[in-house]
Amino acid sequence: MRGTEEYPAELPGSDGEHGLQECYGTSKRARAFYSRQMLNQLNEEMREFIARQEMVFVSTADAGGECDCSLRCGEPGFVRFLDSTHLVYPEYRGNGVLASLDNLSTNGHIGMFFADFFSSTVGLHVNGKAGIVENEELLRRENLPAEILGDLEVTGGRSPERWVEVEVEE
């Protein structure tokens, strides 16, 4: 599969995806999608889209592969950007189960789905590696964007207990 003319090694996706694309005759469409819509960073249009969102679905899995999908909400722009390949979102007081954070502590892979259900009906997937960052740790960082400092005080009447930092891979 990989390393062939049809599927160069640098092509995104897994060997399984590519095999199914061949099997179901979607290889050409998939390659067009990969070349036009998949990046390893967040471009300006993506950052603007995310900044307008009030919710994101967060998918994680524990060390054994058991999955969890959770909803995170906040004021528009509650997901913040450190740069084009790193974003953070606040963890507010919730039900206390901490399933997503537990999963991230043992398996750092994360999938995020931002959806505009009303204006554009566009969805944006962000996949990467994530870790938990305590407020104090985030405050110690140099060149921290000013809007994050404001969030550490109060956002929408709530203060973040900690943050999740995501390194964008796809």
Short mmCIF file of all heavy atoms in Angstrom, two decimals, residues 55-61 67-73 78-79 87 89-91 99-101 103-104 109-114 126 130 164 166:
data_model
loop_
_atom_site.label_atom_id
_atom_site.label_comp_id
_atom_site.label_asym_id
_atom_site.label_seq_id
_atom_site.Cartn_x
_atom_site.Cartn_y
_atom_site.Cartn_z
N MET A 55 -19.20 25.52 21.15
CA MET A 55 -19.11 24.13 21.61
C MET A 55 -18.15 23.34 20.73
O MET A 55 -17.90 23.70 19.58
CB MET A 55 -20.48 23.46 21.62
CG MET A 55 -21.07 23.24 20.25
SD MET A 55 -22.67 22.43 20.29
CE MET A 55 -23.73 23.84 20.52
N VAL A 56 -17.63 22.28 21.32
CA VAL A 56 -16.79 21.33 20.60
C VAL A 56 -17.04 19.95 21.20
O VAL A 56 -17.24 19.81 22.41
CB VAL A 56 -15.29 21.72 20.67
CG1 VAL A 56 -14.78 21.74 22.10
CG2 VAL A 56 -14.44 20.78 19.82
N PHE A 57 -17.09 18.95 20.34
CA PHE A 57 -17.17 17.57 20.79
C PHE A 57 -15.74 17.04 20.88
O PHE A 57 -14.97 17.17 19.92
CB PHE A 57 -18.00 16.72 19.81
CG PHE A 57 -19.43 17.17 19.74
CD1 PHE A 57 -19.83 18.09 18.78
CD2 PHE A 57 -20.36 16.69 20.65
CE1 PHE A 57 -21.15 18.53 18.71
CE2 PHE A 57 -21.69 17.12 20.58
CZ PHE A 57 -22.08 18.05 19.61
N VAL A 58 -15.40 16.47 22.03
CA VAL A 58 -14.04 16.00 22.30
C VAL A 58 -14.07 14.49 22.43
O VAL A 58 -14.81 13.94 23.25
CB VAL A 58 -13.50 16.65 23.60
CG1 VAL A 58 -12.14 16.09 23.95
CG2 VAL A 58 -13.45 18.16 23.46
N SER A 59 -13.24 13.83 21.63
CA SER A 59 -13.17 12.38 21.65
C SER A 59 -11.80 11.95 22.17
O SER A 59 -10.77 12.42 21.68
CB SER A 59 -13.40 11.83 20.24
OG SER A 59 -13.31 10.44 20.23
N THR A 60 -11.82 11.04 23.15
CA THR A 60 -10.59 10.51 23.72
C THR A 60 -10.76 9.00 23.90
O THR A 60 -11.86 8.47 23.77
CB THR A 60 -10.29 11.15 25.10
OG1 THR A 60 -11.39 10.88 25.99
CG2 THR A 60 -10.07 12.65 24.97
N ALA A 61 -9.67 8.33 24.20
CA ALA A 61 -9.73 6.90 24.49
C ALA A 61 -8.72 6.60 25.58
O ALA A 61 -7.66 7.23 25.65
CB ALA A 61 -9.42 6.08 23.24
N CYS A 67 -13.42 4.21 24.26
CA CYS A 67 -13.64 5.59 23.81
C CYS A 67 -14.62 6.36 24.68
O CYS A 67 -15.47 5.78 25.34
CB CYS A 67 -14.17 5.58 22.38
SG CYS A 67 -13.02 4.89 21.20
N ASP A 68 -14.49 7.67 24.61
CA ASP A 68 -15.41 8.59 25.27
C ASP A 68 -15.54 9.81 24.37
O ASP A 68 -14.55 10.27 23.81
CB ASP A 68 -14.85 9.01 26.64
CG ASP A 68 -15.76 10.01 27.34
OD1 ASP A 68 -16.85 9.59 27.78
OD2 ASP A 68 -15.40 11.19 27.42
N CYS A 69 -16.74 10.31 24.22
CA CYS A 69 -16.96 11.55 23.49
C CYS A 69 -17.73 12.47 24.42
O CYS A 69 -18.76 12.09 24.97
CB CYS A 69 -17.76 11.29 22.21
SG CYS A 69 -17.94 12.78 21.20
N SER A 70 -17.20 13.66 24.61
CA SER A 70 -17.80 14.62 25.54
C SER A 70 -17.98 15.96 24.85
O SER A 70 -17.28 16.29 23.91
CB SER A 70 -16.90 14.81 26.76
OG SER A 70 -16.74 13.61 27.46
N LEU A 71 -18.90 16.73 25.38
CA LEU A 71 -19.17 18.07 24.88
C LEU A 71 -18.49 19.08 25.78
O LEU A 71 -18.55 18.96 27.01
CB LEU A 71 -20.69 18.31 24.88
CG LEU A 71 -21.17 19.69 24.46
CD1 LEU A 71 -20.83 19.96 23.00
CD2 LEU A 71 -22.67 19.81 24.69
N ARG A 72 -17.84 20.06 25.17
CA ARG A 72 -17.28 21.20 25.91
C ARG A 72 -17.91 22.45 25.34
O ARG A 72 -18.03 22.60 24.12
CB ARG A 72 -15.76 21.28 25.76
CG ARG A 72 -15.01 20.10 26.38
CD ARG A 72 -15.19 20.10 27.90
NE ARG A 72 -14.42 19.06 28.54
CZ ARG A 72 -14.84 17.83 28.80
NH1 ARG A 72 -16.06 17.46 28.41
NH2 ARG A 72 -14.08 16.96 29.41
N CYS A 73 -18.34 23.35 26.22
CA CYS A 73 -19.01 24.57 25.80
C CYS A 73 -18.41 25.78 26.50
O CYS A 73 -17.82 25.66 27.56
CB CYS A 73 -20.50 24.51 26.15
SG CYS A 73 -21.39 23.18 25.35
N PHE A 78 -13.94 30.39 23.31
CA PHE A 78 -13.40 29.77 24.52
C PHE A 78 -12.21 28.86 24.20
O PHE A 78 -11.36 28.62 25.06
CB PHE A 78 -14.48 29.02 25.31
CG PHE A 78 -14.90 27.69 24.74
CD1 PHE A 78 -14.42 26.51 25.28
CD2 PHE A 78 -15.79 27.62 23.68
CE1 PHE A 78 -14.82 25.28 24.76
CE2 PHE A 78 -16.19 26.40 23.16
CZ PHE A 78 -15.70 25.23 23.70
N VAL A 79 -12.13 28.37 22.98
CA VAL A 79 -10.93 27.64 22.54
C VAL A 79 -9.95 28.69 22.04
O VAL A 79 -10.30 29.53 21.20
CB VAL A 79 -11.26 26.63 21.42
CG1 VAL A 79 -10.00 25.96 20.90
CG2 VAL A 79 -12.26 25.59 21.92
N LEU A 87 -3.44 24.66 20.37
CA LEU A 87 -4.59 25.35 20.93
C LEU A 87 -4.83 24.84 22.34
O LEU A 87 -4.31 23.79 22.74
CB LEU A 87 -5.82 25.17 20.04
CG LEU A 87 -6.34 23.77 19.72
CD1 LEU A 87 -7.22 23.23 20.84
CD2 LEU A 87 -7.13 23.81 18.43
N TYR A 89 -8.05 24.64 25.45
CA TYR A 89 -9.43 24.90 25.85
C TYR A 89 -9.53 24.70 27.35
O TYR A 89 -8.83 23.88 27.94
CB TYR A 89 -10.45 24.06 25.08
CG TYR A 89 -10.42 22.58 25.33
CD1 TYR A 89 -11.13 22.02 26.38
CD2 TYR A 89 -9.72 21.72 24.49
CE1 TYR A 89 -11.13 20.65 26.60
CE2 TYR A 89 -9.72 20.35 24.68
CZ TYR A 89 -10.42 19.82 25.75
OH TYR A 89 -10.42 18.47 25.97
N PRO A 90 -10.41 25.48 28.00
CA PRO A 90 -10.52 25.41 29.45
C PRO A 90 -11.34 24.21 29.89
O PRO A 90 -12.29 23.80 29.22
CB PRO A 90 -11.23 26.71 29.81
CG PRO A 90 -12.04 27.05 28.59
CD PRO A 90 -11.24 26.54 27.42
N GLU A 91 -10.97 23.68 31.02
CA GLU A 91 -11.77 22.66 31.70
C GLU A 91 -12.42 23.36 32.88
O GLU A 91 -11.75 23.82 33.80
CB GLU A 91 -10.88 21.51 32.20
CG GLU A 91 -10.49 20.53 31.14
CD GLU A 91 -11.66 19.64 30.71
OE1 GLU A 91 -12.45 19.20 31.57
OE2 GLU A 91 -11.77 19.36 29.51
N ALA A 99 -13.56 11.80 32.94
CA ALA A 99 -13.26 10.71 32.00
C ALA A 99 -12.31 11.16 30.89
O ALA A 99 -11.35 10.45 30.58
CB ALA A 99 -14.55 10.16 31.40
N SER A 100 -12.56 12.32 30.31
CA SER A 100 -11.70 12.79 29.22
C SER A 100 -10.28 13.05 29.72
O SER A 100 -9.30 12.66 29.07
CB SER A 100 -12.25 14.08 28.61
OG SER A 100 -13.50 13.85 28.01
N LEU A 101 -10.16 13.70 30.87
CA LEU A 101 -8.82 13.98 31.41
C LEU A 101 -8.10 12.70 31.78
O LEU A 101 -6.89 12.57 31.56
CB LEU A 101 -8.91 14.93 32.60
CG LEU A 101 -9.40 16.34 32.30
CD1 LEU A 101 -9.40 17.19 33.57
CD2 LEU A 101 -8.59 17.00 31.20
N ASN A 103 -8.51 9.80 30.35
CA ASN A 103 -8.08 9.20 29.08
C ASN A 103 -6.83 9.90 28.55
O ASN A 103 -5.89 9.24 28.11
CB ASN A 103 -9.20 9.29 28.04
CG ASN A 103 -10.33 8.34 28.33
OD1 ASN A 103 -10.24 7.48 29.18
ND2 ASN A 103 -11.44 8.52 27.63
N LEU A 104 -6.81 11.23 28.59
CA LEU A 104 -5.65 11.97 28.08
C LEU A 104 -4.40 11.70 28.90
O LEU A 104 -3.30 11.77 28.38
CB LEU A 104 -5.95 13.47 28.04
CG LEU A 104 -6.97 13.89 26.99
CD1 LEU A 104 -7.30 15.37 27.14
CD2 LEU A 104 -6.48 13.57 25.59
N HIS A 109 -3.97 10.90 22.63
CA HIS A 109 -4.63 11.20 21.36
C HIS A 109 -6.01 11.82 21.60
O HIS A 109 -6.74 11.40 22.49
CB HIS A 109 -4.78 9.93 20.51
CG HIS A 109 -3.47 9.37 20.10
ND1 HIS A 109 -2.76 9.85 19.03
CD2 HIS A 109 -2.73 8.37 20.62
CE1 HIS A 109 -1.63 9.18 18.91
NE2 HIS A 109 -1.59 8.27 19.87
N ILE A 110 -6.32 12.83 20.78
CA ILE A 110 -7.59 13.53 20.92
C ILE A 110 -8.16 13.84 19.54
O ILE A 110 -7.41 14.10 18.60
CB ILE A 110 -7.41 14.83 21.74
CG1 ILE A 110 -8.76 15.47 22.09
CG2 ILE A 110 -6.50 15.82 21.00
CD1 ILE A 110 -8.65 16.59 23.12
N GLY A 111 -9.47 13.78 19.46
CA GLY A 111 -10.19 14.22 18.28
C GLY A 111 -11.17 15.28 18.71
O GLY A 111 -11.86 15.13 19.72
N MET A 112 -11.23 16.38 17.96
CA MET A 112 -12.15 17.46 18.28
C MET A 112 -13.01 17.72 17.04
O MET A 112 -12.50 17.72 15.93
CB MET A 112 -11.37 18.73 18.65
CG MET A 112 -10.41 18.54 19.80
SD MET A 112 -9.38 19.99 20.10
CE MET A 112 -10.56 21.05 20.94
N PHE A 113 -14.29 17.93 17.27
CA PHE A 113 -15.20 18.23 16.17
C PHE A 113 -15.96 19.50 16.49
O PHE A 113 -16.74 19.55 17.46
CB PHE A 113 -16.17 17.07 15.92
CG PHE A 113 -17.13 17.35 14.80
CD1 PHE A 113 -16.68 17.45 13.49
CD2 PHE A 113 -18.48 17.52 15.05
CE1 PHE A 113 -17.57 17.72 12.45
CE2 PHE A 113 -19.37 17.79 14.03
CZ PHE A 113 -18.91 17.89 12.72
N PHE A 114 -15.70 20.53 15.70
CA PHE A 114 -16.39 21.81 15.81
C PHE A 114 -17.46 21.82 14.72
O PHE A 114 -17.15 21.56 13.56
CB PHE A 114 -15.42 22.97 15.56
CG PHE A 114 -14.32 23.06 16.57
CD1 PHE A 114 -13.13 22.39 16.37
CD2 PHE A 114 -14.47 23.84 17.71
CE1 PHE A 114 -12.08 22.49 17.29
CE2 PHE A 114 -13.44 23.95 18.63
CZ PHE A 114 -12.24 23.27 18.42
N VAL A 126 -10.35 18.36 14.19
CA VAL A 126 -8.97 18.62 14.59
C VAL A 126 -8.51 17.39 15.37
O VAL A 126 -9.14 17.01 16.36
CB VAL A 126 -8.85 19.89 15.48
CG1 VAL A 126 -7.42 20.06 15.97
CG2 VAL A 126 -9.32 21.12 14.73
N ALA A 130 -2.71 15.58 23.08
CA ALA A 130 -3.12 16.54 24.09
C ALA A 130 -2.57 16.18 25.46
O ALA A 130 -2.22 15.04 25.74
CB ALA A 130 -4.64 16.60 24.16
N VAL A 164 -6.66 22.06 28.64
CA VAL A 164 -6.16 20.97 27.80
C VAL A 164 -5.45 21.63 26.64
O VAL A 164 -6.02 22.49 25.96
CB VAL A 164 -7.29 20.04 27.31
CG1 VAL A 164 -6.75 19.04 26.29
CG2 VAL A 164 -7.93 19.33 28.49
N VAL A 166 -3.63 21.12 23.03
CA VAL A 166 -3.65 20.20 21.90
C VAL A 166 -2.59 20.61 20.88
O VAL A 166 -2.54 21.76 20.46
CB VAL A 166 -5.03 20.19 21.21
CG1 VAL A 166 -5.05 19.25 20.01
CG2 VAL A 166 -6.13 19.81 22.21
#
